[in-house]
Amino acid sequence: MNVCNYKVCQSFSDVKSVISTENNSFDVRIESELPETSTTEKCILGIDEAGRGPVLGPMVYGTSYCSIDNQSVLKTLGCADSKVLSEQARDEIFDGINNQGDLLGWAVHIISPTTISNCSFKRQKCSLNEISHNAAIGLIQRVLDRGVSLCEVFVDTVGPPEKYQAKLLSIFPQLKITVSKKADSLFPIVSAASICAKVTRDAALKHWKFIERPDEDIDSNWGSGYPNDPVTKEYLKKNVDAVFGFPNIVRFCWSTAELVLKNQAAQIDWSDDEEDKNKTSVPITSFFGQNGKEVRQKTSFFDDRGLVVTTNI
């Protein structure tokens, strides 16, 4: 995974500001100021994610932590499973978490679609479960490294909870760790983490930087982003380039995206073998022009970089 420094934010506005200036091809890590009580009092921590299933956008892992004696503030703020809260309610609770910075701490790891796809396409593939586990482990370690007096951790499971819990305990034997299904609806500290993750992912999608066309408005009518959404499927079909594929918001490794590529992208024949000359695949030179005349519409990649067709080297 891409290694990034954590950026400290004290408000939702700070988070949006960081997101809007980042290159979405890389991971981003953001955290709050360290609560005053977190290094002197025993603390609990929750972990949850947002955006695991969509074909579009990042997956965001979030954590929230506070001292055992300050857990009541979570219920006062209305922390609950982010999926049952409206967007406005989530934003307001996240603002509340930041306003309680002397009692509550949080951090998020924004895992870019590029990272997710690259991990899948490696020779030794890294599964989405492994990416998730690594993100959770990284968040716990970060909180410990900051000097938080952590004693107990609650995690929403990825895969079998027993195996995941045993894995975390083997890495952090000094902690009491509970891995559970639907932990975001069972433990308020996980609910807070869920809200941090969901609010951050929503903000990332709203402020997405398309490096392919940075100075132009890009079609953002992508629906829910989930593979079975007809609007999302149509978005993929409309925004695929025959040579360069999708913009960086798309997870290339999702089967929905792979199917569109198979049907609409150029099928390239790289072989020079005589026996392969009768294949029906399209030679890549056909996308760059013949005898100085373009035979296909150029992708914006060429215009952006001032590239022209040439036949002389």
Side-chain angles (χ1 to χ4, degrees), residues 39-111:
T39 59
T40 57
E41 300 179 14
K42 295 296 184 181
C43 293
I44 61 171
L45 176 146
I47 290 180
D48 198 10
E49 53 77 24
R52 178 179 171 82
V55 65
L56 301 178
M59 178 171 67
V60 180
Y61 256 78
T63 187
S64 184
Y65 54 95
C66 69
S67 71
I68 294 174
D69 293 337
N70 290 326
Q71 293 182 70
S72 60
V73 72
L74 299 168
K75 293 185 178 180
T76 301
L77 290 172
C79 292
D81 180 0
S82 65
K83 293 185 286 295
V84 303
L85 298 171
S86 67
E87 181 178 353
Q88 181 179 349
R90 291 193 297 266
D91 292 350
E92 290 174 353
I93 294 171
F94 187 61
D95 278 333
I97 291 172
N98 281 286
N99 291 335
Q100 296 284 349
D102 56 333
L103 303 177
L104 297 174
W106 59 269
V108 292
H109 178 178
I110 305 172
I111 305 169

Side-chain angles (χ1 to χ4, degrees), residues 128-303:
L128 192 63
N129 279 6
E130 189 173 354
I131 295 172
S132 299
H133 290 178
N134 290 341
I137 292 165
L139 287 170
I140 296 171
Q141 188 61 57
R142 174 63 179 178
V143 170
L144 290 171
D145 290 344
R146 296 184 81 189
V148 174
S149 183
L150 192 60
C151 64
E152 190 165 8
V153 173
F154 301 89
V155 183
D156 194 58
T157 194
V158 173
E162 298 82 7
K163 290 181 64 175
Y164 190 10
Q165 182 169 307
K167 179 178 181 178
L168 292 177
L169 284 170
S170 69
I171 300 171
F172 305 106
Q174 76 276 29
L175 302 176
K176 180 180 179 181
I177 298 177
T178 301
V179 177
S180 171
K181 295 180 180 178
K182 302 186 183 301
D184 48 357
S185 61
L186 297 175
F187 308 106
I189 194 66
V190 180
S191 301
S194 173
I195 290 167
C196 293
K198 179 62 175 172
V199 167
T200 302
R201 174 175 154 80
D202 288 347
L205 289 172
K206 287 181 180 179
H207 297 86
W208 196 264
K209 289 181 67 177
F210 288 87
I211 59 174
E212 298 81 10
R213 302 291 280 185
D215 299 323
E216 295 183 16
D217 291 333
I218 302 291
D219 177 17
S220 60
N221 183 28
W222 50 62
S224 68
Y226 280 85
N228 60 351
D229 185 340
V231 178
T232 301
K233 291 180 179 179
E234 187 62 25
Y235 176 85
L236 292 173
K237 293 176 182 177
K238 288 170 56 181
N239 289 277
V240 62
D241 182 89
V243 175
F244 296 100
F246 297 108
N248 69 338
I249 196 171
V250 179
R251 302 178 189 179
F252 279 61
C253 56
W254 255 233
S255 59
T256 306
E258 290 180 336
L259 182 61
V260 174
L261 286 173
K262 181 179 180 180
N263 292 334
Q264 295 183 226
Q267 302 301 308
I268 306 302
D269 179 11
W270 299 97
S271 176
D272 291 327
D273 294 340
E274 289 290 331
E275 62 188 38
D276 293 331
K277 285 186 176 180
N278 294 326
K279 287 186 176 179
T280 58
S281 55
V282 181
I284 195 168
T285 52
S286 69
F287 290 87
F288 296 88
Q290 295 176 349
N291 300 323
K293 295 181 180 180
E294 296 176 16
V295 295
R296 297 178 185 271
Q297 182 179 2
K298 288 194 300 182
T299 175
S300 59
F301 179 92
F302 295 95
D303 292 331

